[in-house]
Amino acid sequence: AQKITQTQPGMFVQEKEAVTLDCTYDTSDPSYGLFWYKQPSSGEMIFLIYQGSYDQQNATEGRYSLNFQKARKSANLVISASQLGDSAMYFCAMREGNGNYGGATNKLIFGTGTLLAVQP
Amino acid sequence: GAVVSQHPSRVICKSGTSVKIECRSLDFQATTMFWYRQFPKQSLMLMATSNEGSKATYEQGVEKDKFLINHASLTLSTLTVTSAHPEDSSFYICSAARVAFSTDTQYFGPGTRLTVL
């Protein structure tokens, strides 16, 4: 069965510093996708970054990068140059199927989240 | 692009009444939408998968007669909480799957906060 684990319930980081949020996963499907979402206090879920299981390179989106270590089944999110607006809940999620024309319709399984607080 | 709206954003109702929540994909068609609920300081739990033109698929433990889902068009899915009780108070979030590109994903609505008194 699919499982997503986020072991850090909360993290502090100084403004302008980098921070790594941990995520490990478990699945028996060779084809899967990994996601990170940000949820500010307003409640909306904001898509940050995606990594497919067959992708050779780590995904990057602006200040966000995903440290994908397939053998260790980890998909850590790295936020560089933290900003005060980065303070939010961060969720790692996985779906089986890596998004090739149909994977998007597969359900997501979410981790328990990490609350990030950026300090000035 | 990929905007999903939800209405209402917040609703307070009396115990025993029914509440309908709408989820719309504004700039793309979504054959599949998902409904999640989130209790305070907890993760999102998938309730059901809504497919246009067919019956929804409910997750284990979710009462299909209590949480009615209708996906009548490619841009609209509705969740009706029937005979709501205080324990149904939660944050309900929908998402819509956009399948146009190989790396497409689900896009989430802003959520609906339901309070049952």
Side-chain angles (χ1 to χ4, degrees), chain A residues 49-68:
Chain A
I49 197 165
Y50 164 84
Q51 181 87 43
S53 59
Y54 295 121
D55 292 343
Q56 295 296 312
Q57 294 188 327
N58 287 346
T60 60
E61 289 288 346
R63 294 187 297 112
Y64 304 107
S65 60
L66 201 152
N67 184 0
F68 181 45

Side-chain angles (χ1 to χ4, degrees), chain B residues 7-116:
Chain B
H7 179 79
S9 58
R10 186 181 295 268
V11 58
I12 301 172
C13 68
K14 293 182 179 180
S15 185
T17 61
S18 294
V19 175
K20 180 185 282 189
I21 302 170
E22 292 186 349
C23 177
R24 292 181 185 273
S25 56
L26 298 184
D27 53 357
F28 66 100
Q29 293 183 331
T31 56
T32 302
M33 292 184 174
F34 300 87
W35 287 96
Y36 298 83
R37 69 188 295 181
Q38 184 180 32
F39 290 108
K41 299 188 179 182
Q42 293 190 23
S43 187
L44 277 74
M45 298 300 295
L46 180 65
M47 299 175 66
T49 303
S50 169
N51 296 297
E52 188 266 338
S54 64
K55 291 184 178 180
T57 302
Y58 290 81
E59 294 299 301
Q60 193 173 9
V62 177
E63 300 175 59
K64 62 178 70 176
D65 294 331
K66 180 167 186 62
F67 299 100
L68 301 179
I69 291 172
N70 185 288
H71 194 152
S73 76
L74 289 172
T75 59
L76 174 64
S77 176
T78 60
L79 168 69
T80 302
V81 183
T82 62
S83 186
H85 290 283
E87 58 265 30
D88 297 324
S89 298
S90 188
F91 191 57
Y92 292 87
I93 310 176
C94 73
S95 70
R98 187 179 76 171
V99 185
F101 304 100
S102 62
T103 57
D104 250 343
T105 183
Q106 297 177 29
Y107 293 89
F108 285 81
T112 297
R113 193 164 302 281
L114 170 63
T115 303
V116 184

Side-chain angles (χ1 to χ4, degrees), chain A residues 3-23:
Chain A
K3 188 176 180 181
I4 288 280
T5 303
Q6 294 181 257
T7 58
Q8 306 155 314
M11 292 277 287
F12 285 101
V13 65
Q14 289 295 123
E15 195 177 6
K16 299 180 184 177
E17 291 186 351
V19 63
T20 298
L21 306 183
D22 295 341
C23 174

